[in-house]
Amino acid sequence: MGAQRKVCRVVQLGRIGYEQAFALQQRLVAARKAGTAPDVLLLCEHPHVLTLGRSGKLDHLRVSAAVLEQKGVEFHHSDRGGDITYHGPGQIVGYPILQLGEIRRDVVWYVRQLEEAMIQATAAFGVTAFRIPRCTGVWVRPAFREPSASAAAPEEKLGAIGVHISRWVTSHGFAYNVSSDLHFFDLIVPCGIVGRGVTSLEKLLGRPVSADQVAPHLTEQLGQALGLEMIRAERVELDEWLAATEPASAGVAGE
């Protein structure tokens, strides 16, 4: 018999504001470092928001603050890697809070496994996704081309990645476009990459697709990629793990 796989608990948060989710990640990272929380995958959806990573350039934001306010889009700086990206309805955002030191101490390998999970989840819908060297994330061929378009039309991004690692505990993670309103990506230079667009699984398939149909595939494939057994947990269990770490009088923990 082979060795039993480590367990990762999967918690569905539903729609949650970016700042609220970030504060929850910080608290959970502290609990994971303290050993009072297990490895956890948080799955959620955010209202319209743009986030700028540590290596991002503000000039990759194409519109003014007034335009963002008019469109109901928040803007936040983030401590994740990567440049600027968009999160919003119709997109699955995954935040793995893992003790990577107990899995494999290799950040590049970890990012490749996040990509692999999205590639394999996409394959379950009959779509081929792939990597592009030096362009983190997962990519696909455009769904539709004009008859006169070149066969070498630029690839489009389906899933983005940006991570943060502290004492080998991971946070932030991936964003996978299921049925996203792609017009919101026009507000930015997505991930700072010029000349390539963004797409969604729904656009690629030419039919409606829900996040509920896609999330189980992403969860299963992430477990396969990282050698983890993915087990669902409820939000009340998450609160119990946090309560075991934080004094009763403590507020939201910062770094």
Side-chain angles (χ1 to χ4, degrees), residues 167-228:
R167 286 166 42 193
W168 291 107
V169 175
T170 67
S171 57
H172 298 286
F174 62 87
Y176 186 93
N177 301 325
V178 178
S179 58
S180 309
D181 183 343
L182 300 175
H183 291 97
F184 282 90
F185 287 98
D186 294 338
L187 302 173
I188 60 175
V189 179
C191 302
I193 300 173
V194 178
R196 290 188 170 105
V198 179
T199 193
S200 68
L201 186 61
E202 188 167 275
K203 181 179 178 181
L204 291 164
L205 295 176
R207 61 175 174 83
V209 189
S210 72
D212 288 342
Q213 291 174 283
V214 179
H217 294 285
L218 285 170
T219 300
E220 177 185 1
Q221 294 303 326
L222 186 64
Q224 291 288 337
L226 297 174
L228 300 172

Side-chain angles (χ1 to χ4, degrees), residues 9 15 32 45-46 49 64 73 78 92 94 104 110 112 132 157 164 168 171 177 179 188 200-201 205 215-216 222 234:
R9 309 306 296 269
R15 185 173 295 192
R32 189 67 190 94
E45 177 186 84
H46 293 313
V49 61
S64 67
V73 180
S78 174
I92 296 175
R104 178 168 168 173
Y110 172 62
R112 297 291 86 84
I132 295 177
K157 188 170 239 184
H164 179 85
W168 291 107
S171 57
N177 301 325
S179 58
I188 60 175
S200 68
L201 186 61
L205 295 176
L222 186 64
E234 301 301 326

Side-chain angles (χ1 to χ4, degrees), residues 116-135:
E116 187 64 20
M118 289 192 284
I119 288 170
Q120 295 303 324
T122 306
F125 291 86
V127 176
T128 299
F130 49 86
R131 300 177 179 87
I132 295 177
R134 296 179 297 280
C135 293

